[in-house]
Amino acid sequence: MSITKIVLVTGVSSGIGRATALKFAEAGCRVYGTVRDLAKAQPVPGVTLVEMDVRDEVSIERGIATIIAQARRIDVLVNNVSSVLGFLPAPYMALYAASKHAVEGLSETLDYEVRQFGIRVALVEPSFAKTNLDLNAPQAASTIVAYGRERDIVSRAIQKNIQKAPCRILSPPRSCAPHWADGRCAIRRRVRRPCSPNCAASCLRVPWRRD
């Protein structure tokens, strides 16, 4: 008799988080998904929503306590998804790339620390996908004028790649169900998992001036 896996996915309001939660739910897992505001959150079929802000330690502790009280344990946590920019550079995205490099270093180190307890850590490294990430991304309050021309070229190239991405997240989310999660509600064991069909470096190529 198989035991139903308890899965927690952070950030299930939209995008990759929502698609991931749906994938696990369809596989028969008992899925909890976090949102920052329950009152504003849209239902996710097969997913129990839990209010949590991952930037707030008190909110995290309260949310985890709620899940443990109901399910008694957590078998799989999907949190801090990385990116191909965790191992590739991208012009004019230094802060974003730096944050993803940090996620990679933290996750790989953590994998060695916790495997003695039977816990493994895997990195998910998406490339371009049709989400609202580019629209929701914060913009600099001021920009360097000398960067203007090339920065605009890069920005247009990124938007174009997002729009033509083969992996549709927004509609319908199931067509981009993460293939790194298998039918047993487990993460396939490999520390790094680039997970878009065209996530090679060529995906990030943009028209560039060569002097």
Side-chain angles (χ1 to χ4, degrees):
M1 180 178 178
S2 62
I3 299 175
T4 300
K5 292 291 181 68
I6 309 300
V7 179
L8 170 59
V9 182
T10 60
V12 301
S13 295
S14 62
I16 293 174
R18 183 183 179 91
T20 301
L22 286 167
K23 174 70 172 181
F24 278 116
E26 290 172 353
C29 302
R30 183 176 177 182
V31 184
Y32 290 86
T34 73
V35 294
R36 275 184 276 189
D37 189 340
L38 274 176
K40 297 179 180 178
Q42 297 296 317
V44 182
V47 178
T48 301
L49 299 183
V50 177
E51 189 165 278
M52 182 190 297
D53 187 339
V54 296
R55 303 167 299 179
D56 183 337
E57 187 172 346
V58 173
S59 174
I60 294 171
E61 292 178 353
R62 184 170 54 243
I64 295 298
T66 297
I67 297 169
I68 295 299
Q70 295 180 15
R72 313 304 299 175
R73 69 183 194 280
I74 296 172
D75 297 311
V76 178
L77 167 64
V78 181
N79 182 41
N80 288 338
V81 171
S82 185
S83 165
V84 291
L85 296 191
F87 60 89
L88 292 174
Y92 309 108
M93 297 182 68
L95 292 179
Y96 181 81
S99 72
K100 295 305 183 183
H101 275 70
V103 168
E104 301 258 329
L106 172 66
S107 300
E108 290 198 56
T109 301
L110 186 62
D111 181 53
Y112 283 99
E113 295 175 353
V114 300
R115 63 176 62 181
Q116 62 180 311
F117 307 114
I119 300 170
R120 298 304 304 269
V121 177
L123 283 158
V124 182
E125 298 165 328
S127 181
F128 293 110
K130 287 191 175 180
T131 70
N132 287 327
L133 179 63
D134 60 323
L135 301 177
N136 296 330
Q139 302 297 317
S142 60
T143 58
I144 300 174
V145 176
Y147 281 178
R149 178 179 177 274
E150 280 78 11
R151 186 177 55 241
D152 289 344
I153 292 173
V154 171
S155 178
R156 289 194 297 271
I158 290 173
Q159 293 174 10
K160 180 180 178 181
N161 276 291
I162 289 174
Q163 290 305 311
K164 70 177 185 180
C167 193
R168 294 192 63 87
I169 294 273
L170 297 181
S171 177
R174 288 178 181 80
S175 62
C176 190
H179 63 271
W180 41 267
D182 67 21
R184 296 166 297 174
C185 306
I187 301 296
R188 293 173 184 161
R189 288 187 177 178
R190 196 170 77 206
V191 174
R192 291 177 176 269
R193 298 203 63 84
C195 67
S196 292
N198 298 320
C199 70
S202 60
C203 239
L204 297 172
R205 287 185 303 185
V206 294
W208 196 251
R209 184 181 65 191
R210 297 183 180 274
D211 294 328

